[in-house]
Amino acid sequence: MKKILSIFLVILVFSSCTKLENLNKNIKDPTSVPGESLFTAAQKRLFDQMTTPNVNLNIWRMFVQQWTETTYTDESNYDIITRPIPASHWNQLYVSVLKNLDESAKVIKASGNKPGDNAAVLENKLAIIEVMNVYTYSILVESFGNVPYTQALTDGVLLPKYDDGLTVYKDLIARLNAAIGKMNPSYGSLDASDNMYGGDVSKWLKFANSLKLRMGMLLSDVEPALAKATVEAAAPGALTSNADNARLIYLTSQPNDNPIYENLVASGRHDFVGADTYINKMNDLNDPRLPFYFTQVDTSSVVGTTKLAYVGGVYGASNDYTQYSHVSDPIQAPTFEALIFDAEETEFLLAEGAARGFTVGGTAADHYNLAITRSIEYWGGTPAEISAYLGQTKVAYATATGTWKQKIGEQKWLGLYNRGFEAWTSWRLLDFPVLVAPADAKTDIPVRLTFPVVEQTLNGANYTAAAAAIGGDAVTTKLFWDKN
């Protein structure tokens, strides 16, 4: 396993006094950082942000009611202001990810190829950085709507304007197409500096096409022609095997261990249990993934005899940690991997595409079955369990309740466990499963994040224009793609 490097931008300040020059030299920090190391740093921070359960940074698992809280229930009740969650998400993506990617590309361009490298290697490096840029900006747009884009990261621009979310999204797809066209799998790239694919350009092409597939599907209700063309072009090249999942494997010790382990085990805190909304559904469907997702609890005090079962805490309420199912031990291990894309998601997207009439090679039922299969396989289920699960009337595509949106939406919600942001995005697009805000909720279930409060203070004019353009800076303001 390659080491995950935690190297970030270093700003050195030099004294103008020549007599004190030697005293002011920093002999511990490097005066320059390799572009590849900056990429590694950005990649890790991106995975951390999308995976951590730290309630200051990432509360998507609560938004979609996969987890709920025990003592402190603010986030389960959709309070995103007491802790500056929008600002933290914004800063992680702009500062820790996009800024490092931007500097990485600049340094790599300036330094050129290493001795003996083909020019195609440099092209591959820059294209991969561009794919990560597109992914990160897509998350920002899907989180907030209008965001700084054309002026973001621009030298000398301290108060960037916000760009229209749909315009940004369409430009991101164009950038992604260009990056895909520049990647050549016959040559290397970032090699050991890439902790996702080890520099394997063929896998990066699959990831890029999968991202393109996801972004195309998100535009289905607002730009159907572009969505259809984008999805149909991406489908043949998307990742469909768990061997190609976009993942980062963590190490055994800080700061490179699994952020779930850091927040649930190393911290000694017991802040989360599985939510009844989620676990009740899995129990109802005899879902074979339950033991991989959660622990069992002794319900003898309820039934009068020793009986182990999966029991979810009441969503939004205070819950006794000892009485409800916890996150499973493997997920809490320091080396448990993080995902930002997997084969199961691809297959669900293809099922959605087929249901909308797009030509994606196969029927909605075919891809729905493959999505569930890939999910259960990933978590460790057996072929017999897969067959039994798919054979249930409540699960089989032909007999499951509701429209295609309900069938796919509910199963995708169950499959996107531990990937709260994408589960939230899918719920917003498909409107399934039907989720109900708890009695003490501050708002209805959020469909976007509000802009960071600091933007109101420091970038007030641009903030005001952006808020007006999207219909108001509220968590209940639907974004441009969330039409139905």
Side-chain angles (χ1 to χ4, degrees):
M1 170 59 197
K2 304 176 292 298
K3 265 195 173 182
I4 303 172
L5 303 176
S6 295
I7 303 176
F8 298 93
L9 295 176
V10 180
I11 301 175
L12 299 180
V13 180
F14 295 95
S15 171
S16 60
C17 178
T18 55
K19 292 183 179 180
L20 298 179
E21 183 178 4
N22 291 335
L23 293 177
N24 283 334
K25 285 183 179 178
N26 186 335
I27 63 173
K28 295 183 179 180
D29 290 337
T31 57
S32 64
V33 180
E36 290 81 1
S37 296
L38 292 166
F39 174 84
T40 306
Q43 190 179 60
K44 180 180 181 294
R45 293 300 292 267
L46 176 62
F47 272 90
D48 285 353
Q49 174 58 20
M50 300 307 291
T51 304
T52 183
N54 186 312
V55 292
N56 295 290
L57 299 169
N58 177 334
I59 60 171
W60 324 123
R61 297 174 182 87
M62 263 76 75
F63 277 10
V64 291
Q65 301 184 10
Q66 294 179 342
W67 292 7
T68 192
E69 291 168 297
T70 53
T71 305
Y72 306 103
T73 63
D74 290 345
E75 291 71 36
S76 296
N77 286 287
Y78 309 131
D79 178 353
I80 65 171
I81 301 301
T82 298
R83 295 184 178 91
I85 295 162
S88 297
H89 184 56
W90 178 285
N91 290 337
Q92 287 297 314
L93 296 183
Y94 272 115
V95 180
S96 299
V97 181
L98 287 171
K99 184 58 178 174
N100 274 306
L101 290 174
D102 184 60
E103 288 297 318
S104 173
K106 288 177 181 177
V107 172
I108 288 173
K109 282 179 184 177
S111 60
N113 280 327
K114 295 177 181 177
D117 278 353
N118 187 287
V121 174
L122 177 60
E123 195 83 275
N124 282 338
K125 289 179 182 179
L126 296 176
I128 287 170
I129 293 169
E130 180 71 337
V131 171
M132 293 303 281
N133 273 316
V134 171
Y135 174 90
T136 307
Y137 269 118
S138 74
I139 298 300
L140 281 164
V141 173
E142 292 161 19
S143 301
F144 298 97
N146 291 12
V147 294
Y149 180 66
T150 54
Q151 294 183 349
L153 311 181
T154 302
D155 291 341
V157 178
L158 300 179
L159 304 175
K161 70 173 184 176
Y162 289 60
D163 294 278
D164 173 70
L166 177 57
T167 303
V168 172
Y169 215 73
K170 291 163 73 172
D171 188 64
L172 290 173
I173 291 174
R175 289 173 62 177
L176 190 55
N177 285 334
I180 289 171
K182 292 177 180 178
M183 282 192 271
N184 187 336
S186 297
Y187 297 93
S189 64
L190 292 155
D191 301 332
S193 299
D194 167 24
N195 284 295
M196 193 163 90
Y197 287 133
D200 187 332
V201 178
S202 64
K203 291 193 174 185
W204 273 102
L205 276 167
K206 292 179 181 179
F207 171 72
N209 275 292
S210 300
L211 176 59
K212 180 176 171 179
L213 174 66
R214 177 200 287 169
M215 294 177 71
M217 287 305 310
L218 204 69
L219 296 180
S220 296
D221 293 328
V222 65
E223 290 274 350
L226 176 60
K228 185 175 188 296
T230 302
V231 166
E232 291 180 353
L239 67 90
T240 55
S241 166
N242 284 324
D244 296 326
N245 289 349
R247 65 177 186 168
L248 186 146
I249 301 174
Y250 287 100
L251 304 182
T252 56
S253 58
Q254 294 180 342
N256 299 319
D257 52 351
N258 172 13
I260 300 175
Y261 166 80
E262 285 189 16
N263 285 271
L264 271 62
V265 179
S267 68
R269 300 181 65 89
H270 296 146
D271 291 328
F272 308 106
V273 293
D276 57 355
T277 318
Y278 202 63
I279 290 180
N280 289 350
K281 182 67 173 179
M282 296 188 79
N283 278 326
D284 181 55
L285 297 179
N286 300 303
D287 197 310
R289 291 166 291 192
L290 266 168
F292 302 105
Y293 288 8
F294 299 106
T295 63
Q296 290 183 307
V297 292
D298 184 354
T299 61
S300 57
S301 62
V302 178
V303 300
T305 183
T306 300
K307 181 181 179 181
L308 294 177
Y310 297 100
V311 183
V314 178
Y315 185 78
S318 296
N319 293 283
D320 184 337
Y321 182 79
T322 65
Q323 298 297 311
Y324 299 103
S325 294
H326 313 150
V327 178
S328 69
D329 291 339
I331 292 174
Q332 296 187 70
T335 57
F336 188 76
E337 68 185 29
L339 295 174
I340 58 172
F341 217 113
D342 60 8
E344 165 239 338
E345 184 183 358
T346 296
E347 293 295 350
F348 274 127
L349 290 167
L350 293 173
E352 293 173 44
R356 292 180 186 272
F358 299 169
T359 303
V360 295
T363 66
D366 292 337
H367 291 295
Y368 171 91
N369 290 339
L370 278 171
I372 293 170
T373 297
R374 294 290 176 267
S375 177
I376 297 175
E377 286 175 344
Y378 173 80
W379 288 101
T382 66
E385 288 173 330
I386 294 169
S387 179
Y389 186 71
L390 288 171
Q392 296 179 85
T393 301
K394 294 179 181 179
V395 175
Y397 192 79
T399 54
T401 301
T403 64
W404 68 264
K405 285 189 175 184
Q406 181 173 353
K407 296 175 186 189
I408 294 172
E410 290 183 351
Q411 285 297 325
K412 194 175 179 185
W413 175 60
L414 295 176
L416 287 173
Y417 181 64
N418 203 38
R419 295 188 54 211
F421 186 88
E422 283 311 321
W424 181 48
T425 301
S426 176
W427 171 78
R428 289 180 288 167
L429 180 65
L430 299 178
D431 299 308
F432 285 100
V434 175
L435 300 176
V436 178
D440 294 331
K442 300 294 184 183
T443 71
D444 202 352
I445 303 173
V447 293
R448 65 177 290 272
L449 291 184
T450 51
F451 295 125
V453 173
V454 69
E455 284 289 292
Q456 300 177 38
T457 305
L458 300 181
N459 196 14
N462 289 320
Y463 160 81
T464 300
I470 64 171
D473 185 24
V475 296
T476 52
T477 301
K478 287 193 172 186
L479 299 182
F480 63 89
W481 49 266
D482 187 7
K483 291 293 185 181
N484 297 321

